[in-house]
Amino acid sequence: MTVHPSLQTSIDAWTHSIDAISELVNPLAEHEWNLATECPGWSVRDVVSHVIGLECEMLGDPRPIHTLPRDLFHVTNELSRYMEVQVDVRRCHTAPEMTSELEYTVIRRGRQLRNEKRAPDAMVRWPGGSEVTLEEALMKRVFDVWVHEQDLRRALNKPGNLDSPGAAITRDLLLSALPKVVAKDAGAAPQSAVVFDVNGPMEFMRTVRVDADGRGSIDGSVSLGPTATLALDWETYVRLACGRVRPEAVSERLKIEGDQQLAEAILGHFAITP
């Protein structure tokens, strides 16, 4: 038995993004590892440490025994505290130590994925102690690795891969959250429709419709006379949805038509990652 066909797309996308991260950071000088990223409190080194740490957890490695300093102001809840351990324990690591650990982790994880025999619906441990299906776990790892690849590219001013296989999986995961954002979080009125018109390397248009009971759904059909339309480029969409930037900081890259108040409420709840 080989890898299940429905898992191969995620494995290929993960490989593409993790290899891109390796290529980005391998030539970096020591001081470049300290460049700030859009992840609050995290440098280039910290982002790579996070990627290494979570892949090690997916491999089943024991978590480091480490006490966090008390002055990490970006650590605000239990989830961020959990994630910070793998990051803080590597803050003293040199550039060669970081690149060699990344390379070793990618080799081990790649081998594990190539030899994956479990079915997509098999339950696997997720960092933090919960369990998810193998298919969901792989898609979430693609999402995380691709988003952090983009964090690194912006910090290092090396744009690229905005239309990669990881970008396509990220798009689908982000779009799946839109009905809740519009209908529940932003409180769009029953029988309303909101259009998202996204341009750039990933170009798409989606309509979120709120039914008479206040439930949201999403589709690719055009809505005539929508309540509100939000037009923006793909990279801005990702930065907003992943909490990397506030709407007011990218207002020149946003075009809003229709109900301004509703659009602002949607943008206020647009970030779906902690």
Side-chain angles (χ1 to χ4, degrees), residues 44-62:
V44 167
R45 176 185 284 99
D46 297 337
V47 168
V48 177
S49 295
H50 167 74
V51 170
I52 292 171
L54 286 196
E55 296 302 342
C56 286
E57 292 193 33
M58 296 304 293
L59 282 160
D61 294 355

Side-chain angles (χ1 to χ4, degrees), residues 5-43:
S6 68
L7 302 178
Q8 195 61 54
T9 300
S10 291
I11 292 173
D12 292 344
W14 175 89
T15 302
H16 189 275
S17 283
I18 204 90
D19 286 349
I21 288 176
S22 293
E23 291 172 12
L24 282 168
V25 301
N26 275 337
L28 295 183
E30 193 70 50
H31 72 276
E32 291 177 292
W33 286 84
N34 298 321
L35 290 171
T37 72
E38 287 185 342
C39 294
W42 281 8
S43 64

Side-chain angles (χ1 to χ4, degrees), residues 18-247:
I18 204 90
D19 286 349
I21 288 176
S22 293
E23 291 172 12
L24 282 168
V25 301
N26 275 337
L28 295 183
E30 193 70 50
H31 72 276
E32 291 177 292
W33 286 84
N34 298 321
L35 290 171
T37 72
E38 287 185 342
C39 294
W42 281 8
S43 64
V44 167
R45 176 185 284 99
D46 297 337
V47 168
V48 177
S49 295
H50 167 74
V51 170
I52 292 171
L54 286 196
E55 296 302 342
C56 286
E57 292 193 33
M58 296 304 293
L59 282 160
D61 294 355
R63 274 173 57 79
I65 299 172
H66 180 72
T67 302
L68 292 176
R70 295 187 177 184
D71 60 348
L72 299 176
F73 299 113
H74 58 281
V75 177
T76 57
N77 53 40
E78 283 305 312
L79 178 61
S80 60
R81 190 170 290 108
Y82 181 96
M83 295 297 180
E84 195 71 20
V85 169
Q86 294 278 15
V87 171
D88 192 64
V89 78
R90 292 175 172 84
R91 284 205 162 102
C92 58
H93 288 195
T94 63
E97 288 172 329
M98 292 297 300
T99 53
S100 61
E101 187 184 13
L102 176 62
E103 181 182 7
Y104 181 54
T105 303
V106 171
I107 290 171
R108 292 174 63 215
R109 184 79 162 116
R111 184 185 300 124
Q112 181 192 47
L113 293 173
R114 285 193 303 275
N115 295 327
E116 184 58 73
K117 301 294 190 293
R118 292 171 291 183
D121 59 355
M123 300 305 292
V124 299
R125 186 185 181 279
W126 185 250
S130 62
E131 285 197 339
V132 298
T133 66
L134 176 59
E135 186 171 30
E136 183 182 355
L138 290 179
M139 291 180 68
K140 283 184 172 181
R141 288 308 305 137
V142 173
F143 169 74
D144 190 59
V145 171
W146 182 83
V147 168
H148 287 310
E149 177 199 338
Q150 294 303 316
D151 289 330
L152 295 171
R153 288 187 177 281
R154 286 191 295 275
L156 299 169
N157 195 26
K158 294 182 179 179
N161 283 352
L162 282 165
D163 58 352
S164 69
I169 288 176
T170 297
R171 174 201 60 202
D172 293 344
L173 285 176
L174 293 178
L175 287 175
S176 69
L178 273 184
K180 176 180 179 292
V181 169
V182 172
K184 183 178 179 181
D185 300 337
Q191 309 289 16
S192 59
V194 179
V195 171
F196 295 85
D197 185 0
V198 179
N199 59 73
M202 295 292 286
E203 191 169 293
F204 55 90
M205 183 180 288
R206 295 291 187 276
T207 302
V208 174
R209 304 176 195 278
V210 183
D211 67 15
D213 297 321
R215 288 189 294 262
S217 62
I218 187 168
D219 60 60
S221 60
V222 177
S223 173
L224 299 176
T227 312
T229 299
L230 288 82
L232 66 167
D233 65 273
W234 167 233
E235 186 175 19
T236 301
Y237 186 105
V238 170
R239 291 171 73 200
L240 286 168
C242 296
R244 299 308 194 250
V245 67
R246 297 291 302 162

